[in-house]
Amino acid sequence: MTKKKKNAKKPAPERRASEEKATRQEEAAAAKPKPGKKGSVALETAESMARKQREISVSEFFLKNRHLLGFDSPRRALMTTVKEAVDNALDACEEAGHLPEISVDIAQTAENRFRVTVTDNGPGIVRSQIPKVFAKLLYGSKFHRLRMSRGQQGIGISAAGMYGQLTTGTSTHILSRSRNQKMAHDIAVQIDTKANTPTIISDDERAWCPEFFPTQPDGKPGKPISYAHGTSVSIEMEATYVRGRLSVDEYLKQCAIVNPHLQLHYRVRLMRSDDKDEKGPKTLPADETTPWISYFRGVNEMPPPTREIKPHPHGVELGMLMAMLKDTNSRTLQGALSQDFSRVSSKTAKEICERAKLYPNARPARIAHQESEALYKAINETSLMRPPTDCLAPIGEEQIVSGLKKEIQADFYTAKTRNPAVYRGNPFQIEAGLAYAKPGENEDLNAEEPVRLMRFANRVPLLAMSGACAMTKSTTGVNWKAYGLSQPRGSLPFGPMVVMIHIASVWVPFTSESKEAIAHYPEIMREITFALQDCGRQLSHYLSRKRRADEAARKRNFIELYIPHLALGLKEILDLNDRQEKTVVNKLGGMLERTHLDV
Amino acid sequence: MTKKKKNAKKPAPERRASEEKATRQEEAAAAKPKPGKKGSVALETAESMARKQREISVSEFFLKNRHLLGFDSPRRALMTTVKEAVDNALDACEEAGHLPEISVDIAQTAENRFRVTVTDNGPGIVRSQIPKVFAKLLYGSKFHRLRMSRGQQGIGISAAGMYGQLTTGTSTHILSRSRNQKMAHDIAVQIDTKANTPTIISDDERAWCPEFFPTQPDGKPGKPISYAHGTSVSIEMEATYVRGRLSVDEYLKQCAIVNPHLQLHYRVRLMRSDDKDEKGPKTLPADETTPWISYFRGVNEMPPPTREIKPHPHGVELGMLMAMLKDTNSRTLQGALSQDFSRVSSKTAKEICERAKLYPNARPARIAHQESEALYKAINETSLMRPPTDCLAPIGEEQIVSGLKKEIQADFYTAKTRNPAVYRGNPFQIEAGLAYAKPGENEDLNAEEPVRLMRFANRVPLLAMSGACAMTKSTTGVNWKAYGLSQPRGSLPFGPMVVMIHIASVWVPFTSESKEAIAHYPEIMREITFALQDCGRQLSHYLSRKRRADEAARKRNFIELYIPHLALGLKEILDLNDRQEKTVVNKLGGMLERTHLDV
């Protein structure tokens, strides 16, 4: 006690030094080094190492590596959470055939804390699935199928909940009601990160209809809209809210552009003080007083529905083929080939068997063990139709141009939708669009700066990690000088222009689990390049037309300058009067008007 | 049958068209659409969706996303496999205190197929652990501890085996013998990707000592070296072998530079034909006839051993704190705080409890539920010592400079090792080095091109994904013009220079599971910037010294040019003879020699 007092009297730095020494000693004593050759760190043997080997749960892994999921900073955490929730809502609405109506409500709860609530009019989720869908990583319906959708991994929304839980200790709250339920489920879950399993914190039923609050075009609040079914998810987390290119605002704006069938209501409520100088205690403004920003539906039709496909034989590796033959429900090789793969009719299957010198009636599991290499070779030597493409729903050239027109004020627009192509057996389709403003016409687009690149995958805007994306790489790889733009070596072209690229695929290969950048598959980069070159050629026509027109105007101005002098000369030579001189000027001017100057 | 013959006679394209129609019809029939509103794609309900929800095993996930693990192209697959195997071998040798001796044998087995065999003199692996270590993702000893090591995730080598299995259907073969075993285990495993569990294909014992084959400096084969313990892993896979900046060769070369205590033997055996014109059937050259490339040990001492640390309280989030209190072995809050965290003595723990108004004897599990926020606040308000740094083993300035001197022929070298810093509670340390060649002196370094950046993390060279790395971003962010280099906006500086950056940390935050790029944590980027600026200032001194010297030489040449004319003038004025004129020239030259020209 005496010592403590003595310490307390010492000036701060010294006190800390003596305490540091004590801490160090205590730690050294706790470490208790085992005998070993080198210093005090124990050396390992095969046996001591074996005792330390442990399984790592996937949730522990991603908790420690949460930057892989897009939770590396409080700012990005907010964006990723909104993105995952909105993507899920859109997918659910589209699969159930409901025109999506979604609200995003962001409310500040403390200095660095926000609550994100996303509500949709989707089909709802049955009670038994709610805990796993929202509090188990790698769980979902989209991973095991080949069909175009926004979500594909079964990680996103559970990861957002896990991040909220990690930073604030709170639970993910879900409200969900399906069409034939009277009451909604009101469930709170957390994730047991050691086991990657959901823990149910509370489980109630209550009356609830998803409600949306549109703002009328004149800014006044409209009548609230409510639906008989839907889901609402609410997560509180450490986050910061900022505006700008990588913000929630920008994400939702771009989301509305590429999803014209989406109706979206959005608001951010920041804590503020009632005093004018913001000195008093800060509180959240009342619910009713904060207006919503509404993005209204542009079209009343859903995008064309997409079909699930089976894997294409030419994209299947030997090891995968063996696994598929082992697991097939078919009793014969011929049956397995024609039922489990796309583009293999029973006739083609027979042809493949013959080529591989195998009996069409052989047991698939036996082939998997013994003759799979011959079969694999035969499959790859057989010419097959390309994979079906009704699994893809591109945006379309017209929609891209009208989306760009709505968003970007410019002088020239063009778009190109490529035919579907294939990487590793997966069909994909690339679309690109350009909007070019006359220099000075659009103050957001500076002619002296790199063009603005907007990236989309399966109708989801990609904002972060632009540098790691195949779309950026392909855009810098195109020779834009050939189309009339300046371009420093290895850089994006410069100019008052927006470039938009979209990939639609049954499996988009992202460079990380946060799904913000496309991996550098050569097939994909080639298609992007072709789409951009097509747009570039259109741009080049526009620019050279524009240049010709500018040149003609310049020449005309030049000649116009001389007309009075010419008239004066004629007046002196021919001894004309002033009226006649004026007539000459007018006539020459008229001639110039009529002439299409050939530049 | 008749129809088939008829078809067979048709020219190929037509035949395919009719077949395509049949395939399409067959597929349409198989799809059997359920009734739904939109077209033929069935609409989902909450119930139908629930039936499709499934768990996704982590191995299925990474099989489909194998570009995340560094297996996106056959070329990169070979590099990633060698990297993962060598990293594991180095970690095992160092932890057991054996000076590492490693061989890497790459043999072509078919057109696009290679077998990679990596053998070490490490402590070996006990039998029961071998299947899980080599055929189960997320399994290992390094994830759950905080200590600097090359591996950290428990994914790498199993992922390499999984890729081999996927592309060739073969197993991973392991030979391992620990010090007190007479025979070695000879085990072949595959991974059951649906369950992420190992399947043992064969399990034998046989006599084996790991053997290494050095090449003497004169190029002749030396005596083989053998050890009583070690591990050898062999994986066959689809791959291509190329040389260059992103090759296995480059990886191993850089590996030897930052691990001077490593002795490495390496060879690649490519299939070739016996004919001179390579027309005959290709075979693999005999084992004995192919020499090894040996990198000999530079030092006979191990790097300083690193200690495992506990998490630092200031890097622990609220949710993590709650989980730790729930799981602690301590019975009291004070005990839990001082035993489970670093830099918390029992006295500090008591101080924290007092600040949070909690009893030091409270049950930790109760606190986790009810008063964790108060505790969290109190922890973050208490000033604590920074995390211990004996968990880090930087390379050191001297070693970096000598490594650079060994590898890069240049005129100026410098290096800087920063003091340890902390991101998210994890200690880390940044080192940087420069090697600047006189323009034209080193033909690999072009003065008109961006500088060459060499990146390392925990003594592992990072080759791929340079664009996504915080090291690249920080290097472009430094204002190199201030240090005398040219630098286009937003680009690396230009010049005949190599920049080397190393991060040492108990947990390196990589941007993807392939561990090739560092995530953009601001604390890390700041430290890199400071280290580079320090090196930049040294460079600037060197460059301005060099510039002054060049300038002086230029002036001297200029003055020398005038000495004869001066002498001639003096001769005429003073009427000197030729001998006297010569003396004047010599004397003036001597004066110039002695004078340090003040530029």
Side-chain angles (χ1 to χ4, degrees):
Chain A
M1 199 63 201
T2 339
K3 206 184 166 196
K4 199 182 172 190
K5 265 195 183 158
K6 214 172 151 189
N7 269 344
K9 271 180 206 161
K10 275 191 197 175
E14 270 185 61
R15 183 195 156 213
R16 221 199 282 148
S18 76
E19 252 182 33
E20 283 192 7
K21 201 179 154 196
T23 310
R24 259 188 253 272
Q25 280 169 354
E26 211 167 300
E27 284 193 348
K32 268 182 217 149
K34 288 159 214 155
K37 259 188 256 169
K38 300 260 163 187
S40 59
V41 175
L43 295 180
E44 300 282 356
T45 62
E47 291 73 24
S48 71
M49 276 179 176
R51 281 192 295 274
K52 292 185 182 169
Q53 302 279 9
R54 273 178 60 190
E55 205 166 317
I56 302 147
S57 90
V58 66
S59 41
E60 284 178 308
F61 176 77
F62 281 122
L63 199 63
K64 215 166 169 180
N65 276 320
R66 57 180 176 274
H67 51 270
L68 297 181
L69 303 172
F71 293 97
D72 46 359
S73 69
R75 196 202 53 175
R76 204 167 156 211
L78 194 71
M79 217 260 282
T80 304
T81 304
V82 169
K83 179 173 167 156
E84 297 293 351
V86 169
D87 288 357
N88 283 356
L90 275 168
D91 274 348
C93 290
E94 285 178 13
E95 286 184 25
H98 306 303
L99 273 171
E101 177 130 22
I102 297 175
S103 82
V104 178
D105 191 1
I106 299 178
Q108 192 174 20
T109 56
E111 179 72 27
N112 286 317
R113 244 162 115 154
F114 285 84
R115 168 170 289 281
V116 176
T117 308
V118 175
T119 308
D120 66 49
N121 65 336
I125 302 171
V126 302
R127 196 201 143 282
S128 62
Q129 293 295 331
I130 291 174
K132 287 188 197 159
V133 167
F134 291 97
K136 183 178 177 63
L137 299 180
L138 291 181
Y139 186 84
S141 59
K142 300 165 195 168
F143 181 87
H144 289 99
R145 67 180 193 195
L146 282 175
R147 178 173 163 186
M148 178 179 162
S149 58
R150 292 171 185 81
Q152 57 188 28
Q153 309 181 130
I155 292 183
I157 194 68
S158 297
M162 186 168 79
Y163 176 79
Q165 179 182 334
L166 173 75
T167 51
T168 66
T170 58
S171 314
T172 303
H173 286 266
I174 304 107
L175 272 170
S176 186
R177 186 178 162 198
S178 62
R179 192 187 285 271
N180 34 24
Q181 260 176 269
K182 228 179 160 181
M183 304 282 270
H185 296 292
D186 181 352
I187 296 181
V189 288
Q190 291 207 344
I191 181 166
D192 175 353
T193 50
K194 284 223 171 136
N196 187 29
T197 51
T199 310
I200 298 172
I201 305 297
S202 72
D203 182 355
D204 298 312
E205 287 205 336
R206 68 179 177 89
W208 176 73
C209 298
E211 267 194 314
F212 303 97
F213 307 89
T215 306
Q216 288 175 327
D218 59 6
K220 283 181 193 158
K223 257 195 190 168
I225 304 164
S226 73
Y227 287 88
H229 50 85
T231 303
S232 173
V233 55
S234 182
I235 297 172
E236 189 171 353
M237 65 182 63
E238 220 178 272
T240 47
Y241 170 73
V242 286
R243 293 172 207 278
R245 280 284 157 84
L246 297 175
S247 66
V248 177
D249 307 40
E250 179 71 21
Y251 172 77
L252 292 176
K253 199 165 102 184
Q254 293 194 15
C255 204
I257 295 175
V258 285
N259 295 286
H261 60 298
L262 162 66
Q263 194 136 299
L264 184 74
H265 313 289
Y266 170 52
R267 70 172 174 187
V268 181
R269 282 182 291 159
L270 297 178
M271 286 170 72
R272 57 168 183 247
S273 169
D274 288 335
D275 315 342
K276 271 187 189 163
D277 51 358
E278 288 279 324
K279 270 187 182 167
K282 289 184 176 180
T283 52
L284 201 63
D287 192 358
E288 313 80 48
T289 62
T290 320
W292 295 79
I293 300 159
S294 291
Y295 294 90
F296 291 101
R297 205 165 270 145
V299 296
N300 279 312
E301 265 173 37
M302 301 281 273
T306 55
R307 197 191 292 276
E308 189 177 334
I309 60 163
K310 289 170 191 161
H312 191 271
H314 285 177
V316 169
E317 292 90 350
L318 176 57
M320 185 62 83
L321 176 69
M322 289 162 71
M324 286 178 76
L325 289 178
K326 251 180 242 173
D327 294 342
T328 182
N329 292 323
S330 299
R331 294 218 206 130
T332 67
L333 181 57
Q334 189 184 4
L337 288 174
S338 60
Q339 277 169 40
D340 296 355
F341 293 96
S342 75
R343 298 314 197 198
V344 181
S345 64
S346 50
K347 203 175 130 209
T348 317
K350 207 172 168 188
E351 203 182 309
I352 292 171
C353 294
E354 277 165 14
R355 197 187 292 262
K357 299 202 171 65
L358 297 170
Y359 290 108
N361 288 330
R363 264 205 314 122
R366 195 180 57 78
I367 300 296
H369 273 287
Q370 296 169 357
E371 283 137 323
S372 54
E373 279 201 54
L375 181 65
Y376 179 72
K377 226 177 132 211
I379 287 175
N380 282 294
E381 282 168 358
T382 307
S383 83
L384 297 168
M385 285 171 66
R386 295 165 72 80
T389 52
D390 52 358
C391 51
L392 301 178
I395 303 174
E397 294 174 0
E398 223 172 286
Q399 287 259 21
I400 290 176
V401 167
S402 71
L404 286 173
K405 278 187 177 159
K406 212 167 113 187
E407 157 75 350
I408 319 280
Q409 189 207 333
D411 192 45
F412 169 75
Y413 302 86
T414 185
K416 175 71 187 174
T417 298
R418 298 272 309 162
N419 284 330
V422 180
Y423 83 93
R424 242 178 59 198
N426 298 319
F428 73 97
Q429 200 161 2
I430 295 290
E431 306 180 273
L434 293 185
Y436 186 93
K438 280 185 192 155
E441 185 187 46
N442 182 332
E443 57 186 19
D444 283 349
L445 299 175
N446 189 333
E448 307 304 318
E449 277 182 12
V451 302
R452 190 169 147 210
L453 182 61
M454 285 165 77
R455 302 172 292 128
F456 300 89
N458 285 1
R459 293 175 184 255
V460 176
L462 312 179
L463 300 187
M465 295 175 65
S466 172
C469 187
M471 294 183 175
T472 310
K473 185 102 190 268
S474 304
T475 310
T476 59
V478 167
N479 178 14
W480 291 95
K481 282 184 185 161
Y483 308 126
L485 296 180
S486 70
Q487 182 181 25
R489 198 165 58 157
S491 152
L492 285 175
F494 279 44
M497 188 167 86
V498 170
V499 176
M500 180 270 192
I501 304 173
H502 179 233
I503 179 173
S505 180
V506 294
W507 185 262
V508 180
F510 291 106
T511 59
S512 91
E513 288 83 351
S514 66
K515 301 197 292 176
E516 292 280 10
I518 310 295
H520 294 46
Y521 278 97
E523 299 88 346
I524 294 176
M525 294 184 62
R526 193 162 50 230
E527 281 294 315
I528 297 174
T529 304
F530 288 156
L532 288 176
Q533 284 172 340
D534 202 284
C535 292
R537 279 189 290 272
Q538 300 303 322
L539 175 71
S540 161
H541 291 157
Y542 157 79
L543 284 177
S544 59
R545 257 200 323 274
K546 188 166 156 281
R547 205 166 23 242
R548 270 206 301 276
D550 289 353
E551 183 70 3
R554 205 178 58 79
K555 275 207 181 167
R556 181 195 307 259
N557 288 341
F558 196 66
I559 297 172
E560 259 176 353
L561 211 67
Y562 284 92
I563 288 178
H565 300 273
L566 204 63
L568 199 70
L570 286 173
K571 181 187 173 192
E572 277 175 18
I573 293 164
L574 304 175
D575 201 17
L576 305 178
N577 61 25
D578 285 3
R579 207 178 44 81
Q580 283 170 317
E581 187 196 348
K582 226 174 185 174
T583 317
V584 168
V585 168
N586 286 341
K587 281 200 172 163
L588 284 173
M591 273 171 71
L592 192 62
E593 283 289 305
R594 283 191 303 279
T595 314
H596 287 280
L597 282 162
D598 201 14
V599 188
Chain B
M1 199 62 199
T2 339
K3 207 189 163 194
K4 201 184 170 189
K5 266 193 183 159
K6 214 172 148 191
N7 269 342
K9 271 179 207 160
K10 277 190 198 175
E14 269 186 60
R15 182 192 157 215
R16 219 196 285 150
S18 76
E19 253 182 33
E20 282 193 8
K21 201 179 156 194
T23 311
R24 261 187 252 270
Q25 280 169 353
E26 212 167 297
E27 285 194 345
K32 269 182 218 149
K34 289 159 213 155
K37 259 187 260 169
K38 300 260 161 187
S40 61
V41 175
L43 295 180
E44 301 282 356
T45 62
E47 292 73 25
S48 71
M49 277 179 176
R51 281 191 296 274
K52 292 185 182 169
Q53 302 279 9
R54 272 179 61 190
E55 203 167 319
I56 302 147
S57 91
V58 66
S59 41
E60 285 178 309
F61 176 77
F62 282 122
L63 199 62
K64 216 165 169 180
N65 277 320
R66 58 180 175 275
H67 50 270
L68 297 182
L69 302 172
F71 294 96
D72 46 358
S73 70
R75 196 202 53 176
R76 203 167 157 212
L78 195 70
M79 218 261 282
T80 304
T81 303
V82 170
K83 180 174 166 154
E84 297 293 351
V86 170
D87 288 358
N88 283 356
L90 274 169
D91 273 348
C93 290
E94 285 179 12
E95 287 184 24
H98 306 303
L99 274 171
E101 176 130 24
I102 297 175
S103 83
V104 177
D105 192 2
I106 298 178
Q108 192 174 19
T109 55
E111 179 71 27
N112 286 317
R113 244 162 116 153
F114 286 83
R115 168 171 288 282
V116 176
T117 308
V118 175
T119 308
D120 65 49
N121 65 336
I125 302 171
V126 302
R127 197 202 142 281
S128 61
Q129 292 295 331
I130 291 173
K132 287 189 198 160
V133 166
F134 292 96
K136 182 178 178 63
L137 300 181
L138 291 181
Y139 187 85
S141 59
K142 298 167 196 167
F143 181 88
H144 289 100
R145 68 180 191 192
L146 282 175
R147 178 172 162 185
M148 178 178 161
S149 58
R150 292 170 185 80
Q152 57 187 28
Q153 309 182 130
I155 293 183
I157 194 68
S158 296
M162 185 168 79
Y163 176 78
Q165 179 182 334
L166 173 76
T167 52
T168 67
T170 57
S171 313
T172 303
H173 287 264
I174 303 108
L175 271 170
S176 186
R177 185 178 164 199
S178 61
R179 192 186 284 273
N180 33 24
Q181 260 177 270
K182 227 178 160 183
M183 305 281 270
H185 296 293
D186 181 353
I187 296 181
V189 288
Q190 290 206 346
I191 181 165
D192 174 352
T193 50
K194 285 222 172 138
N196 186 29
T197 51
T199 309
I200 297 172
I201 304 297
S202 72
D203 182 356
D204 298 311
E205 288 205 336
R206 69 177 175 92
W208 176 73
C209 298
E211 265 194 315
F212 303 96
F213 307 89
T215 305
Q216 288 175 326
D218 60 6
K220 284 181 191 157
K223 259 193 188 168
I225 305 163
S226 73
Y227 287 88
H229 50 85
T231 303
S232 174
V233 55
S234 183
I235 297 172
E236 188 170 353
M237 64 181 65
E238 221 178 273
T240 47
Y241 170 74
V242 287
R243 293 171 208 278
R245 279 284 157 84
L246 297 175
S247 66
V248 177
D249 307 39
E250 179 71 22
Y251 172 78
L252 292 176
K253 199 166 102 185
Q254 292 195 15
C255 205
I257 295 175
V258 286
N259 296 285
H261 60 298
L262 162 67
Q263 195 134 300
L264 184 74
H265 313 288
Y266 169 52
R267 69 172 176 188
V268 181
R269 282 182 293 159
L270 297 178
M271 286 170 73
R272 57 170 183 244
S273 169
D274 288 333
D275 315 342
K276 271 188 189 160
D277 52 358
E278 290 277 326
K279 270 187 181 167
K282 289 185 177 180
T283 52
L284 201 62
D287 191 359
E288 314 78 51
T289 63
T290 321
W292 295 78
I293 299 159
S294 291
Y295 295 90
F296 292 100
R297 204 164 271 145
V299 296
N300 280 312
E301 266 173 35
M302 301 281 274
T306 54
R307 197 190 290 278
E308 189 176 333
I309 59 163
K310 289 170 190 161
H312 191 271
H314 285 176
V316 168
E317 293 91 350
L318 176 58
M320 185 63 83
L321 176 69
M322 289 162 71
M324 287 178 75
L325 290 178
K326 250 180 243 172
D327 294 342
T328 182
N329 291 324
S330 300
R331 292 215 209 131
T332 67
L333 180 57
Q334 189 184 5
L337 289 174
S338 60
Q339 277 169 40
D340 296 355
F341 293 95
S342 74
R343 298 314 195 198
V344 181
S345 64
S346 50
K347 202 175 131 209
T348 317
K350 205 171 170 189
E351 203 182 308
I352 292 171
C353 294
E354 277 165 14
R355 198 187 290 263
K357 299 203 172 65
L358 297 171
Y359 289 109
N361 289 329
R363 265 204 315 122
R366 194 180 59 78
I367 299 296
H369 273 288
Q370 296 169 359
E371 283 136 323
S372 55
E373 279 203 53
L375 181 65
Y376 179 70
K377 229 178 130 210
I379 287 174
N380 282 294
E381 283 168 358
T382 307
S383 83
L384 296 168
M385 284 172 69
R386 295 164 73 80
T389 52
D390 51 359
C391 52
L392 301 178
I395 302 174
E397 294 175 0
E398 224 172 285
Q399 287 259 21
I400 292 176
V401 167
S402 72
L404 286 173
K405 277 187 179 161
K406 211 167 112 187
E407 157 75 347
I408 319 281
Q409 190 208 331
D411 192 45
F412 170 76
Y413 302 87
T414 185
K416 175 73 189 175
T417 297
R418 298 271 310 163
N419 283 330
V422 181
Y423 84 92
R424 243 178 59 199
N426 297 320
F428 73 96
Q429 198 161 4
I430 295 291
E431 305 180 272
L434 294 185
Y436 185 94
K438 279 185 191 154
E441 185 187 48
N442 183 332
E443 57 187 18
D444 283 349
L445 299 175
N446 189 333
E448 306 304 317
E449 277 182 14
V451 300
R452 190 169 149 212
L453 182 60
M454 286 166 78
R455 300 171 293 128
F456 300 89
N458 286 2
R459 293 174 183 254
V460 177
L462 311 178
L463 300 186
M465 297 176 63
S466 171
C469 187
M471 293 182 175
T472 310
K473 184 102 190 269
S474 304
T475 310
T476 59
V478 167
N479 178 15
W480 290 95
K481 282 183 186 162
Y483 308 125
L485 296 179
S486 70
Q487 183 180 27
R489 199 166 57 157
S491 153
L492 286 175
F494 278 45
M497 188 167 86
V498 170
V499 176
M500 179 271 191
I501 303 174
H502 178 235
I503 179 172
S505 179
V506 294
W507 184 261
V508 181
F510 291 106
T511 59
S512 91
E513 289 82 352
S514 66
K515 302 197 291 176
E516 292 281 11
I518 310 294
H520 293 46
Y521 279 96
E523 298 89 345
I524 295 176
M525 295 184 62
R526 194 162 48 229
E527 282 294 315
I528 298 174
T529 304
F530 288 156
L532 289 176
Q533 284 173 340
D534 203 284
C535 292
R537 277 189 291 272
Q538 301 303 321
L539 175 71
S540 161
H541 290 156
Y542 158 78
L543 285 177
S544 58
R545 257 199 322 274
K546 188 166 156 282
R547 207 166 22 241
R548 269 204 303 274
D550 289 353
E551 182 71 3
R554 206 178 56 79
K555 275 207 181 168
R556 183 195 307 257
N557 287 342
F558 196 67
I559 295 172
E560 260 175 351
L561 212 65
Y562 285 93
I563 288 178
H565 300 271
L566 204 63
L568 199 69
L570 285 172
K571 182 187 173 191
E572 275 174 20
I573 294 164
L574 303 176
D575 201 17
L576 306 177
N577 60 22
D578 284 3
R579 206 178 47 79
Q580 283 171 316
E581 187 197 346
K582 226 175 187 172
T583 315
V584 168
V585 168
N586 287 340
K587 281 200 174 163
L588 283 174
M591 272 171 70
L592 192 62
E593 282 288 306
R594 281 192 306 278
T595 314
H596 286 280
L597 280 164
D598 201 14
V599 187

